[in-house]
């Protein structure tokens, strides 16, 4: 792990055609870039994760990108009350690089706004020794407002939620980077 801040990885967890996640991720990326953050946008639809996890260049690249950053922000829909399968496969492809890494979430979906996927991800990341921040950004039924050109969406409330969550994520990133420089995380 580098001693300098390497930025934030934003993982787009949906790989479906016509996915709404691209719109959400574009908004997140724009907000972070405007705030001066260095962002590595990782679109899982552009990577291959073999089901048998044999060595693969995309897995190696994904692992290196996670290792290089100080924090990760996962943009995820909720599929069947849980996490998209390709996102789970990608998370499972990496092991030690998740340790002592802060993770934030932007979720979207129906009435739950993707919160059930976030709760499942919290359990997964806890097992990997990652630190998830409490506050999230949850977009409930975003398809209607996003389709209306007269509405600014996501709006001020969502932007404020993202700003607050990012403050917490970056606090953890700085604290954990300093701690790991002082003493490596015990494995």
């Amino acid at each position: 792990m580098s001693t300098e801040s390497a930025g934030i990885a934003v993982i787009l967890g949906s790989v479906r055609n016509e996915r709404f996640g691209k719109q959400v991720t574009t908004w997140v990326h724009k907000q972070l870039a405007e705030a001066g953050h260095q962002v590595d946008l990782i679109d899982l639809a552009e990577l291959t994760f073999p089901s048998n996890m044999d060595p693969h260049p995309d897995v190696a690249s994904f692992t290196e990108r996670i290792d290089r950053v100080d924090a990760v922000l996962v943009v995820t829909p909720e599929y069947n009350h849980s996490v998209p399968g390709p996102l789970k496969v990608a998370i499972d492809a990496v092991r030690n690089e998740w340790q002592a890494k802060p993770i934030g979430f932007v979720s979207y979906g129906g009435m739950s706004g993707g919160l059930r996927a976030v709760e499942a991800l919290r359990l997964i990341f806890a097992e990997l020794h990652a630190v998830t921040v409490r506050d999230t950004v949850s977009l409930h039924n975003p398809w209607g407002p996003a389709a209306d050109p007269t509405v600014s969406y996501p709006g001020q409330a969502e932007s404020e939620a993202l700003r607050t969550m990012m403050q917490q994520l970056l606090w953890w990133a700085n604290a954990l980077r300093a701690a790991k420089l002082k003493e490596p995380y015990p494995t």
Side-chain angles (χ1 to χ4, degrees):
M1 171 64 84
S2 169
T3 59
E4 295 180 21
S5 174
I8 303 159
V10 175
I11 300 173
L12 172 50
S14 174
V15 300
R16 290 182 176 178
N17 293 332
E18 308 298 321
R19 58 199 165 142
F20 189 75
K22 280 197 114 100
Q23 290 171 278
V24 176
T25 304
T26 298
W27 168 71
V28 168
H29 185 264
K30 181 181 178 205
Q31 296 290 311
L32 297 180
E34 286 176 356
H37 301 294
Q38 181 183 348
V39 179
D40 180 8
L41 182 56
I42 303 173
D43 185 344
L44 295 183
E46 297 173 356
L47 301 173
T48 300
F49 290 89
S51 59
N52 59 7
M53 288 301 160
D54 284 339
H56 189 280
D58 284 353
V59 173
S61 171
F62 181 69
T63 300
E64 192 275 324
R65 290 166 81 179
I66 296 302
D67 187 45
R68 184 175 55 218
V69 296
D70 294 315
V72 175
L73 179 60
V74 177
V75 176
T76 185
E78 178 181 311
Y79 293 163
N80 302 318
H81 287 222
S82 194
V83 187
L87 176 57
K88 176 69 165 82
V89 170
I91 292 167
D92 288 346
V94 177
R95 185 73 185 167
N96 295 339
E97 293 76 11
W98 292 121
Q99 293 176 351
K101 181 93 54 183
I103 312 290
F105 303 102
V106 174
S107 64
Y108 60 95
M111 291 302 293
S112 76
L115 291 175
R116 291 176 288 222
V118 170
E119 291 309 309
L121 286 167
R122 288 185 192 284
L123 295 172
I124 293 164
F125 280 117
E127 183 63 23
L128 294 167
H129 296 252
V131 178
T132 61
V133 298
R134 184 208 173 277
D135 287 7
T136 64
V137 179
S138 177
L139 305 175
H140 305 265
N141 294 314
W143 305 277
D148 184 348
T150 65
V151 175
S152 176
Y153 188 83
Q156 186 60 37
E158 294 85 2
S159 294
E160 183 59 29
L162 180 61
R163 188 187 68 73
T164 299
M165 188 264 301
M166 285 307 302
Q167 288 176 329
Q168 294 171 0
L169 187 65
L170 293 172
W171 184 92
W172 276 106
N174 291 330
L176 291 170
R177 183 176 54 249
K180 288 185 282 189
L181 288 172
K182 184 176 178 184
E183 181 178 348
Y185 184 79
T187 56

